[in-house]
Amino acid sequence: MDIKKIEFQQHGDSRGMLVVAEYQKEIPFTVKRIYYIYGADSETRRGFHSHKNLQQIYIAIHGSCKVTLTDGKTTETVCLDDAASGLYIGHNVWREIYDFSDDAVLLVLASEPYSEDDYIRTYDQFIQTQTENI
Ligand code: TYD
């Protein structure tokens, strides 16, 4: 499955923390869009889609949440709770995001502008596409 934990550059001192993610170092794609999710809670479940081409990096810059990911064969659950690391998610990975802490802010870096055509929004269609890709 095309996912990877990425450690960012940390420059913390007595004045606070400063975290850096740079193109071609920690970020393997050109960032064409960012968005962030907050105001979710422990009951919220989001995601429930995969992308045909999009690459993303999820960063819990505050608080925490969980992401369950599958490529149809392997399934993994990752807890995002560290502002100094991110989760790279390649294309063709189904994701579900849940267990948000009340203070969670989930920042997402994306390789392309928003396109609804790039989404696969039903699990049945995702599995069908994965089978066709083999
Ligand atoms: P949605 O795909 O439901 O979010 P999630 O994947 O977290 O469950 O997106 C919510 C709404 O926001 C939906 O109407 C599409 C819109 N949206 C944009 O317009 N641009 C974007 O970049 C994103 C990510 C969503």
Side-chain angles (χ1 to χ4, degrees):
M1 181 160 40
D2 192 15
I3 63 170
K4 191 171 68 175
K5 191 176 177 195
I6 300 173
E7 303 289 342
F8 300 139
Q9 303 164 38
Q10 291 190 59
H11 302 274
D13 59 31
S14 58
R15 299 169 298 163
M17 300 300 294
L18 190 156
V19 176
V20 180
E22 258 178 296
Y23 173 58
Q24 286 183 336
K25 288 186 180 167
E26 295 80 16
I27 306 174
F29 53 79
T30 308
V31 177
K32 294 192 183 158
R33 173 170 55 114
I34 70 155
Y35 63 92
Y36 39 93
I37 293 167
Y38 63 95
D41 61 26
S42 59
E43 303 301 312
T44 305
R45 298 183 76 85
R46 305 193 60 122
F48 295 90
H49 63 253
S50 66
H51 287 283
K52 296 172 193 166
N53 289 303
L54 191 71
Q55 303 173 74
Q56 293 176 303
I57 296 176
Y58 283 16
I59 310 161
I61 54 171
H62 199 252
S64 63
C65 64
K66 291 198 179 95
V67 191
T68 293
L69 309 117
T70 184
D71 59 4
K73 284 179 281 178
T74 314
T75 299
E76 215 172 302
T77 294
V78 178
C79 181
L80 300 178
D81 60 1
D82 174 18
S85 68
L87 175 67
Y88 170 86
I89 307 176
H91 64 289
N92 294 330
V93 177
W94 183 265
R95 84 288 312 271
E96 301 177 7
I97 317 160
Y98 56 98
D99 241 0
F100 290 87
S101 61
D102 287 342
D103 59 352
V105 182
L106 178 63
L107 173 66
V108 181
L109 314 181
S111 65
E112 299 298 334
Y114 177 72
S115 166
E116 190 56 38
D117 286 348
D118 190 65
Y119 280 75
I120 295 177
R121 288 208 184 261
T122 71
Y123 192 69
D124 283 353
Q125 195 194 339
F126 169 69
I127 291 300
Q128 196 181 327
T129 313
Q130 290 302 90
T131 311
E132 284 163 7
N133 284 343
I134 291 169

